[in-house]
């Protein structure tokens, strides 16, 4: 399996670390090595939270500038802050209101995850809506899914993590599906 | 490269340390929460419960007490560990210095987590300097997997030389996750068996000289112990220049050397034990290389032990920046300059700065407390302390933050200084419940004796919220959530000699402002007054049943967009609409605490009928 470096960025409370851990679990299930780096502490009270994820035979837990294959941005205002991590050929999926993202290239795709989560009635769903969109092959990205794992692999991770918590699992799978509906597949 | 997924789980560095403690027979573990160390003890307490291991795992009242409990466990022959963040080690430095002389019986690990950056700390202090001062060995893990190995090595080292051993992870180890096999609980049959020896365990100064001499002998032997010796990461590489690295800087350096094509050309020595650095390594290094670059966080501890420094580049020579985290971009630049390959990437200065600042959560009772304090004592001085409520500075309710418990002594200090100048000023200090128990109590006793005149507001949300909802001494729960003893906060405050001690509910804003005014008047007339602001943390799920029923609020057409509510009350659920020039409520963020009903100067924030929508 190819190596992949991903940066997940957002604000405290948006579920940045949860997304990173889902992807890390998916990597383990594929038999790959994984290293992540998380933000804990005061930033988790609404401040800037960022998680680095490196899948494959890495040793350092941090993604270097211009090395990330992909960027998952849960809050549009952070794109300015963390786009420096993106490799020239990298892709980014950004939660932004319609017309709310400027300065992006063709490999930068926006989805209004806030709006979708509000319709869905659960602001905690932003992270999974965005992840679903990224997994489904967002417009502007040629690959079917730019991520190292498939939607089914993420669903399996969710099922394992939420064993015995059926309501939470159903809501999580629905949020993922909502994001996927807006992608290519 | 494939690793069988069934025997690997994702472990946070701190969880990896907890698994390793259990695996290596740790039976007494104690801690006080603090980022980035908190999850070590919480993970251990959870594992203990799940696996039914007979051990003591406690959240102590502060790091000094935590240290002393774990240290004493080791005197009885059991394996023990104390964990804390680096500023917590300052609190525990008194027993640390003495324990180094006395030594230990059962293996004893002092886990002090440093926070280069700093990400969530007052300082970037390097715990290894305190280890040097105490003269105990330190191990620097470079990853969660390495931290796990070093727990085992640390216990072996500690028992072999009868010395406390420091394990010094940093944020990037504590809060990194890695795929690892879960820990196994192995039988570790040992019973508490304290062998009396007053010359050692109660040593008077006459014996301390001898203990100091013995400690020096131990250190010399530890500097030759093979298991923790530095190793070559790339044994094939040869050249006149060499890089020496420890901790996560060594992990970054490995990747960077490979990527820059220097792996076969630039020897990399990975130092595992930064103090004492192995003496043979030092002489070999200096005799076989013309120039040496040292990469370590945060101070040049390895560097200062390389006695002939004419050929050494590092923190002391300015080749590596002293302040801030050694991010891979900085290491790449330092290596490129050192190797003479030219910088490979231009790097943004202070790249992590900027972006949304953290703020108190919607519905947080601290927001009401700070708003009320500014209403009751608008020209006051507001000393504060360490916790979520430090964010009260966003509301103008925090003027000073020094260290745990200092809000109380700083309030007293302000009173004494102003008294000398013949001036009267309202002083309203804030401290969290956990912080009050940790270090606020002695300062309050001092204030009573010295008749300092101020109001202390204890923000009692019945948890240690900032670090992940650990119990406080008043909670009555163990680290694993089982029933435990508890301390009555009001009784404790009164026993300190406080004459005015009243509890109030901050979200009942008008009443609470009245209570604070009463306390301020009392403080000027009679002496220190304490107000307990008692309301549960909205984020703490274990207290969800204590939260009041939500109130539906809406903003009517009289809102003129003055932004008083968004600046002075600063609730994330109150949003200023730049286009409409008025404030709106974010219905998904709003918890329905209803406090903002009392905040709008025009009364434009109103209560809607419970069932229906805003008219």
């Amino acid at each position: 399996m190819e190596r992949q470096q991903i940066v997940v960025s957002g604000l405290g409370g948006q579920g940045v670390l949860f997304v990173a851990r889902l992807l890390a679990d998916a990597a383990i299930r594929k038999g790959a090595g994984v290293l992540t780096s998380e933000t804990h502490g005061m930033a988790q009270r609404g401040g800037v939270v960022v998680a680095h994820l490196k899948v494959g035979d890495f040793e350092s837990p941090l993604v270097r500038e211009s090395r990330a294959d992909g960027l998952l941005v849960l809050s549009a205002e952070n794109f300015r802050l963390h786009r420096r991590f993106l490799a020239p050929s990298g892709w980014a999926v950004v939660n932004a209101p319609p017309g709310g993202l400027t300065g992006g290239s063709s490999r930068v795709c926006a989805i209004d995850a806030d709006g979708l989560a509000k319709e869905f009635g659960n602001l905690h769903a932003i992270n999974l809506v965005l992840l679903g969109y990224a997994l489904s092959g967002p417009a502007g990205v040629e690959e079917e899914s730019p991520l190292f794992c498939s939607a089914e692999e993420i669903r399996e991770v969710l099922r394992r993590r939420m064993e015995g918590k059926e309501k939470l699992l159903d809501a999580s799978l629905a949020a993922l599906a909502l994001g996927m509906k807006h992608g290519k597949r | 490269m494939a690793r069988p997924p069934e025997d690997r789980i994702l472990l946070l560095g701190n969880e990896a340390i907890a698994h390793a403690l259990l695996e290596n027979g740790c039976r007494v573990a104690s801690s006080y929460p603090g980022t980035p160390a908190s999850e070590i003890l919480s993970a251990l307490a959870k594992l203990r419960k799940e696996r039914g291991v007979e051990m003591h795992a406690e959240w102590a009242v502060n790091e000094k007490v935590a240290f002393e409990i774990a240290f004493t466990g080791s005197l009885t022959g059991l394996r023990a560990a104390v964990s804390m963040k680096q500023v917590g080690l300052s609190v525990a430095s008194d027993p640390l210095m003495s324990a180094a002389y006395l030594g230990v019986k059962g293996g004893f690990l002092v886990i002090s987590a440093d926070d280069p950056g700093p990400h969530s700390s007052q300082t970037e202090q390097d715990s290894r300097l305190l280890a040097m001062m105490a003269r105990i060995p330190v191990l620097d893990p470079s990853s969660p997997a390495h931290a796990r190995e070093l727990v085992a090595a640390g216990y072996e080292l500690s028992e072999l030389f009868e010395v406390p051993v420091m394990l010094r992870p940093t944020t990037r180890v504590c809060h990194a996750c890695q795929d690892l096999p879960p820990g196994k609980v192995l039988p570790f049959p040992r019973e508490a068996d304290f062998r009396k020896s007053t010359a050692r365990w109660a040593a008077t100064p006459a014996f301390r000289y001898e203990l100091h001499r013995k400690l020096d002998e131990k250190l010399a032997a530890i500097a030759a112990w093979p298991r923790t010796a530095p190793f070559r990461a790339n044994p094939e590489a040869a050249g006149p220049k060499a890089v020496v690295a420890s901790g996560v800087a060594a992990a970054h350096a490995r990747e960077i050397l490979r990527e820059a094509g220097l792996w076969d050309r630039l020897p990399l020595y990975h130092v595992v034990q930064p103090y004492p650095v192995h003496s043979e390594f030092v002489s070999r290094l200096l005799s076989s290389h013309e120039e040496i670059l040292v990469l370590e966080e945060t101070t040049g501890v390895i560097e200062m032990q390389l006695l002939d420094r004419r050929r050494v580049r590092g923190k002391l020579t300015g080749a590596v920046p002293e302040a801030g985290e050694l991010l891979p971009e900085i290491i790449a630049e330092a290596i490129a300059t050192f190797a003479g390959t030219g910088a490979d990437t231009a790097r943004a200065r202070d790249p992590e700065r900027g972006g949304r600042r953290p703020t108190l959560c919607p519905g947080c009772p601290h927001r009401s407390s700070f708003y009320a304090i500014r209403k009751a004592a608008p020209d006051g001085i507001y000393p504060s302390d360490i916790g979520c409520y430090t964010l009260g500075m966003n509301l103008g309710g925090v003027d000073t933050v020094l260290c745990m418990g200092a809000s109380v002594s700083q309030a007293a200090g302000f009173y004494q200084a102003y008294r000398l100048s013949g001036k009267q000023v309202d002083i309203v200090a804030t401290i969290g419940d956990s912080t009050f128990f940790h270090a606020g109590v002695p300062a309050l006793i001092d204030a009573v004796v010295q008749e300092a005149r101020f109001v202390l507001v204890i923000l009692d949300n019945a948890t240690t919220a900032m670090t992940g909802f650990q119990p406080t001494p008043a909670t009555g729960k163990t680290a694993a959530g089982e029933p435990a003893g508890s301390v009555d906060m009001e009784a404790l405050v009164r026993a300190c000699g406080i004459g005015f001690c009243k509890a109030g509910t901050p979200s009942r804003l008008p009443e609470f402002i009245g209570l604070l005014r009463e306390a301020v008047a009392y403080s000027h007339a009679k002496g220190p007054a304490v107000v307990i602001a008692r309301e549960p943390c909205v984020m703490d799920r274990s207290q969800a049943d204590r939260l009041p029923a939500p109130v539906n609020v809406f903003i009517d057409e009289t809102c003129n967009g003055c932004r008083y509510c968004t600046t002075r009350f600063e609730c994330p659920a109150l949003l200023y609409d730049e286009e409409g020039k008025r404030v709106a409520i974010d219905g998904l963020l709003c918890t329905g605490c209803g406090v903002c009903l009392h905040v709008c100067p025009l009364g434009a924030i109103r209560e809607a009928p419970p069932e229906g929508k805003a008219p």
Side-chain angles (χ1 to χ4, degrees):
Chain A
M1 202 187 77
E2 57 168 336
R3 303 162 107 210
Q4 200 166 68
Q5 306 191 54
I6 294 163
V7 171
V8 190
S9 161
L11 300 174
Q14 284 189 311
V16 168
L17 304 189
F18 183 69
V19 167
R21 287 192 178 194
L22 288 181
L23 291 168
D25 272 352
I28 292 177
R29 295 200 47 74
K30 289 175 85 80
V34 65
L35 264 173
T36 77
S37 184
E38 304 182 338
T39 307
H40 289 231
M42 189 171 270
Q44 289 182 297
R45 303 286 176 261
V48 174
V49 171
V50 59
H52 298 230
L53 176 88
K54 293 165 91 169
V55 179
D57 57 341
F58 289 99
E59 288 170 281
S60 149
L62 292 178
V63 175
R64 277 172 72 186
E65 284 178 17
S66 312
R67 299 295 195 280
D69 300 293
L71 213 57
L72 294 171
V73 185
L74 273 61
S75 174
E77 65 193 65
N78 284 18
F79 184 56
R80 172 185 61 80
L81 216 57
H82 293 137
R83 64 179 305 172
R84 64 195 161 80
F85 285 113
L86 206 55
S89 60
W91 51 267
V93 175
V94 185
N95 170 24
L101 189 68
T102 50
S105 72
S106 60
R107 298 202 23 109
V108 176
C109 334
I111 178 173
D112 182 16
D114 271 0
L116 290 169
K118 270 180 192 169
E119 269 174 47
F120 189 62
N122 182 3
L123 213 58
H124 296 300
I126 291 172
N127 55 353
L128 288 174
V129 171
L130 188 96
L131 179 61
Y133 182 62
L135 284 164
S136 71
V141 176
E142 312 81 66
E143 300 94 325
E144 281 201 341
S145 162
L147 284 158
F148 64 89
C149 58
S150 70
E152 183 45 37
E153 282 162 334
I154 290 293
R155 281 193 286 264
E156 181 54 25
V157 168
L158 281 169
R159 282 191 282 267
R160 283 170 164 261
R161 280 191 162 244
M162 296 174 179
E163 219 179 305
K165 297 172 186 167
E166 296 309 319
K167 268 171 85 175
L168 188 62
L169 175 64
D170 289 346
S172 303
L173 292 174
L176 199 70
L178 183 62
M180 290 190 68
K181 218 169 68 184
H182 290 259
K184 280 201 294 263
R185 285 184 298 149
Chain B
M1 248 2 258
R3 313 177 187 199
E6 293 313 324
D7 54 15
R8 300 185 87 82
I9 53 172
L10 189 69
L11 286 181
L12 190 68
N14 284 340
E15 292 169 344
I17 291 172
H19 278 254
L21 288 172
L22 209 61
E23 247 166 3
N24 287 282
C26 174
R27 287 296 174 265
V28 180
S30 188
S31 181
Y32 183 82
T35 312
S38 310
E39 299 85 0
I40 299 171
L41 197 278
S42 30
L44 190 59
K46 198 167 155 242
L47 279 172
R48 169 191 74 72
K49 201 175 169 186
E50 282 170 7
R51 314 243 177 126
V53 180
E54 200 56 56
M55 74 172 292
H56 179 70
E58 77 159 61
W59 287 118
V61 69
N62 63 33
E63 294 86 353
K64 177 181 174 333
V65 173
F67 186 106
E68 290 155 357
I69 285 167
F71 172 69
T72 306
S74 111
L75 297 200
T76 71
L78 301 181
R79 284 191 166 180
V82 60
S83 58
M84 62 202 106
K85 69 181 295 177
Q86 85 289 39
V87 291
L89 186 66
S90 303
V91 176
S93 60
D94 199 358
L96 170 69
M97 299 300 147
S98 186
Y101 275 36
L102 303 184
V104 304
K105 279 294 174 190
F108 178 44
L109 293 187
V110 180
I111 307 170
S112 183
D114 282 359
D115 185 24
H119 295 274
S120 209
S121 302
Q122 301 99 288
T123 71
E124 296 189 283
Q125 68 195 62
D126 189 326
S127 294
R128 302 176 304 171
L129 290 168
L130 271 178
M132 284 178 95
M133 187 175 170
R135 303 182 70 68
I136 62 165
V138 192
L139 305 176
D140 261 6
S142 58
S143 67
H146 194 216
R148 189 167 182 169
E149 287 168 28
L150 292 189
V151 168
Y155 271 131
E156 198 182 323
L157 178 62
S158 176
E159 290 185 350
L160 193 57
F161 296 95
E162 295 202 353
V163 70
V165 172
M166 182 182 289
L167 181 71
R168 202 276 310 221
T170 57
T171 302
R172 299 300 184 188
V173 173
C174 294
H175 292 154
C177 292
Q178 194 171 10
D179 58 303
L180 290 167
K184 291 192 182 80
V185 185
L186 307 170
F188 205 81
R190 274 198 204 175
E191 281 182 5
D193 180 17
F194 175 57
R195 305 283 171 89
K196 290 188 182 189
S197 164
T198 46
R200 182 168 176 191
W201 306 127
T204 54
F207 291 104
R208 294 275 170 165
Y209 165 78
E210 191 53 30
L211 289 171
H212 187 178
R213 227 184 37 74
K214 276 192 185 152
L215 180 57
D216 286 352
E217 284 170 16
K218 288 180 189 176
L219 276 178
I222 291 167
W225 194 53
R227 185 154 177 202
T228 51
F231 63 92
R232 274 284 290 276
N234 50 356
E236 273 75 59
K241 294 183 176 186
V243 176
V244 172
S246 81
V248 78
H252 297 324
R254 281 164 175 259
E255 262 185 47
I256 288 161
L257 287 184
R258 284 205 180 90
E259 216 180 294
L262 292 167
W263 186 253
D264 303 323
R265 289 202 277 142
L266 195 55
L268 171 64
Y269 296 91
H270 188 155
V271 171
V272 177
Q273 180 181 286
Y275 180 78
V277 175
H278 285 66
S279 29
E280 200 194 310
F281 166 74
V282 174
S283 35
R284 198 161 23 91
L285 182 74
L286 292 169
S287 63
S288 44
H289 296 288
E290 285 167 18
E291 214 177 341
I292 297 143
L293 175 69
V294 186
L295 300 166
E296 60 184 317
E297 289 180 319
T298 307
T299 301
V301 165
I302 299 169
E303 191 182 350
M304 68 176 79
Q305 293 171 80
L306 303 178
L307 294 178
D308 178 359
R309 283 204 290 273
R310 281 169 297 183
R311 285 175 281 146
V312 177
R313 314 282 169 259
K315 299 258 178 177
L316 299 170
T317 65
V320 182
E322 165 67 28
E325 185 177 7
L326 284 191
L327 293 168
E329 291 81 4
I330 295 173
I331 291 182
E333 200 174 281
I335 288 179
T337 308
F338 178 70
T341 54
D344 57 350
T345 46
R347 157 175 76 87
R349 294 279 156 191
D350 290 335
E352 296 290 344
R353 308 286 177 236
R356 183 90 60 102
R357 68 180 181 183
T359 185
L360 295 169
C361 305
C364 175
H366 300 335
R367 177 173 287 104
S368 317
S369 292
F370 285 112
Y371 184 81
I373 287 167
R374 288 200 63 190
K375 281 283 169 193
D379 300 316
I381 298 177
Y382 314 124
S384 191
D385 227 298
I386 311 289
C388 285
Y389 52 93
T390 308
L391 294 169
M393 68 179 59
N394 296 359
L395 287 92
V398 171
D399 291 329
T400 64
V401 178
L402 183 63
C403 65
M404 293 288 283
S407 57
V408 189
S409 7
Q410 287 200 283
F414 279 120
Y415 167 73
Q416 303 297 1
Y418 273 78
R419 181 181 59 81
L420 290 174
S421 314
K423 289 194 216 165
Q424 178 177 300
V425 62
D426 296 344
I427 300 163
V428 185
T430 43
I431 191 168
D433 44 355
S434 187
T435 309
F436 174 67
F437 288 117
H438 176 285
V441 175
L444 192 62
I445 293 170
D446 191 80
V448 167
V449 174
Q450 301 300 329
E451 299 182 329
R453 299 186 168 191
F454 61 87
V455 177
L456 176 66
V457 181
I458 303 177
L459 303 165
D460 179 11
N461 59 2
T463 187
T464 316
M466 174 98 280
T467 47
F469 315 109
Q470 294 81 5
T472 76
T475 310
K477 288 207 173 123
T478 67
E482 299 124 337
S486 68
V487 171
D488 179 337
M489 188 186 284
E490 275 97 324
L492 174 62
V493 168
R494 290 205 181 90
C496 290
I498 293 288
F500 184 107
C501 175
K502 292 188 181 177
T505 308
S507 66
R508 291 183 200 140
L509 199 58
E511 274 173 55
F512 193 70
I513 294 170
L515 175 59
L516 285 172
R517 286 196 174 120
E518 192 192 335
V520 170
Y522 178 94
S523 75
H524 288 305
K526 294 191 174 160
V530 169
V531 171
I532 299 174
R534 181 163 287 149
E535 205 158 352
C537 169
V538 285
M539 299 296 285
D540 182 4
R541 287 188 205 120
S542 72
Q543 300 190 69
D545 55 334
R546 286 183 56 208
L547 293 171
V551 178
N552 272 324
V553 292
F554 74 99
I555 297 181
D556 72 18
E557 65 293 342
T558 59
C559 171
N560 67 356
C562 74
R563 303 205 211 185
Y564 179 85
C565 62
T566 55
T567 53
R568 279 290 292 274
F569 194 61
E570 213 223 15
C571 177
L574 291 168
L575 302 171
Y576 181 71
D577 172 11
E578 293 286 349
E579 280 174 22
K581 303 275 179 229
R582 55 199 300 278
V583 173
I585 287 168
D586 185 326
L588 285 170
L589 283 177
C590 177
T591 64
C593 72
V595 178
C596 57
L597 294 170
H598 307 286
V599 168
C600 177
L602 297 173
I605 306 180
R606 289 168 53 196
E607 185 173 351
E611 291 302 309
K613 293 264 173 192

CSV table of all heavy atoms in Angstrom, one decimal, chain A residues 128-142:
chain,number,residue,atom,x,y,z
A,128,LEU,N,-18.1,14.0,10.0
A,128,LEU,CA,-18.4,12.8,9.2
A,128,LEU,C,-19.0,13.1,7.8
A,128,LEU,O,-18.8,12.4,6.8
A,128,LEU,CB,-19.4,11.9,10.0
A,128,LEU,CG,-18.7,11.2,11.2
A,128,LEU,CD1,-19.7,10.4,12.0
A,128,LEU,CD2,-17.5,10.3,10.7
A,129,VAL,N,-19.8,14.2,7.7
A,129,VAL,CA,-20.3,14.7,6.4
A,129,VAL,C,-19.1,15.0,5.5
A,129,VAL,O,-19.0,14.6,4.4
A,129,VAL,CB,-21.2,15.9,6.6
A,129,VAL,CG1,-21.5,16.6,5.3
A,129,VAL,CG2,-22.4,15.6,7.4
A,130,LEU,N,-18.1,15.7,6.1
A,130,LEU,CA,-16.9,16.1,5.3
A,130,LEU,C,-16.1,14.9,4.9
A,130,LEU,O,-15.7,14.7,3.8
A,130,LEU,CB,-16.0,17.1,6.1
A,130,LEU,CG,-14.9,17.7,5.3
A,130,LEU,CD1,-15.3,19.0,4.8
A,130,LEU,CD2,-13.6,17.8,6.1
A,131,LEU,N,-16.0,14.0,5.9
A,131,LEU,CA,-15.2,12.7,5.6
A,131,LEU,C,-15.9,11.9,4.5
A,131,LEU,O,-15.3,11.4,3.6
A,131,LEU,CB,-15.0,11.9,6.8
A,131,LEU,CG,-14.3,10.6,6.7
A,131,LEU,CD1,-12.8,10.8,6.2
A,131,LEU,CD2,-14.2,9.8,8.0
A,132,GLY,N,-17.2,11.8,4.6
A,132,GLY,CA,-18.0,11.1,3.6
A,132,GLY,C,-17.8,11.7,2.2
A,132,GLY,O,-17.6,11.0,1.2
A,133,TYR,N,-17.8,13.0,2.1
A,133,TYR,CA,-17.6,13.7,0.8
A,133,TYR,C,-16.2,13.4,0.3
A,133,TYR,O,-16.1,13.1,-0.9
A,133,TYR,CB,-17.8,15.2,1.1
A,133,TYR,CG,-17.6,16.0,-0.2
A,133,TYR,CD1,-18.5,15.9,-1.3
A,133,TYR,CD2,-16.6,17.0,-0.3
A,133,TYR,CE1,-18.3,16.6,-2.4
A,133,TYR,CE2,-16.5,17.8,-1.4
A,133,TYR,CZ,-17.3,17.6,-2.5
A,133,TYR,OH,-17.2,18.3,-3.6
A,134,ALA,N,-15.2,13.4,1.2
A,134,ALA,CA,-13.8,13.1,0.7
A,134,ALA,C,-13.7,11.7,0.2
A,134,ALA,O,-13.0,11.4,-0.8
A,134,ALA,CB,-12.9,13.4,1.9
A,135,LEU,N,-14.4,10.8,0.9
A,135,LEU,CA,-14.4,9.3,0.5
A,135,LEU,C,-15.1,9.0,-0.8
A,135,LEU,O,-14.8,8.1,-1.5
A,135,LEU,CB,-15.0,8.5,1.6
A,135,LEU,CG,-14.2,8.3,2.9
A,135,LEU,CD1,-15.0,7.8,4.0
A,135,LEU,CD2,-13.0,7.3,2.6
A,136,SER,N,-16.0,9.9,-1.2
A,136,SER,CA,-16.8,9.6,-2.3
A,136,SER,C,-16.2,10.2,-3.6
A,136,SER,O,-16.9,10.1,-4.7
A,136,SER,CB,-18.2,10.2,-2.1
A,136,SER,OG,-18.1,11.6,-2.2
A,137,GLY,N,-15.0,10.8,-3.5
A,137,GLY,CA,-14.5,11.3,-4.8
A,137,GLY,C,-15.0,12.7,-5.1
A,137,GLY,O,-15.9,12.8,-5.9
A,138,PRO,N,-14.6,13.7,-4.4
A,138,PRO,CA,-15.1,15.1,-4.6
A,138,PRO,C,-14.8,15.6,-6.0
A,138,PRO,O,-13.8,15.2,-6.6
A,138,PRO,CB,-14.4,15.9,-3.5
A,138,PRO,CG,-13.2,15.1,-3.1
A,138,PRO,CD,-13.5,13.7,-3.4
A,139,ALA,N,-15.7,16.5,-6.4
A,139,ALA,CA,-15.5,17.1,-7.7
A,139,ALA,C,-14.1,17.8,-7.8
A,139,ALA,O,-13.6,18.3,-6.8
A,139,ALA,CB,-16.5,18.2,-8.0
A,140,GLY,N,-13.4,17.7,-8.9
A,140,GLY,CA,-12.1,18.3,-9.0
A,140,GLY,C,-10.9,17.4,-8.7
A,140,GLY,O,-9.8,17.6,-9.0
A,141,VAL,N,-11.2,16.2,-8.1
A,141,VAL,CA,-10.2,15.2,-7.8
A,141,VAL,C,-10.5,14.1,-8.7
A,141,VAL,O,-11.6,13.5,-8.8
A,141,VAL,CB,-10.3,14.8,-6.3
A,141,VAL,CG1,-9.3,13.6,-6.1
A,141,VAL,CG2,-10.0,15.9,-5.4
A,142,GLU,N,-9.5,13.6,-9.5
A,142,GLU,CA,-9.7,12.6,-10.5
A,142,GLU,C,-10.0,11.2,-9.9
A,142,GLU,O,-10.8,10.5,-10.4
A,142,GLU,CB,-8.5,12.5,-11.5
A,142,GLU,CG,-8.0,13.8,-12.0
A,142,GLU,CD,-7.1,14.5,-11.0
A,142,GLU,OE1,-6.0,14.0,-10.7
A,142,GLU,OE2,-7.4,15.6,-10.5
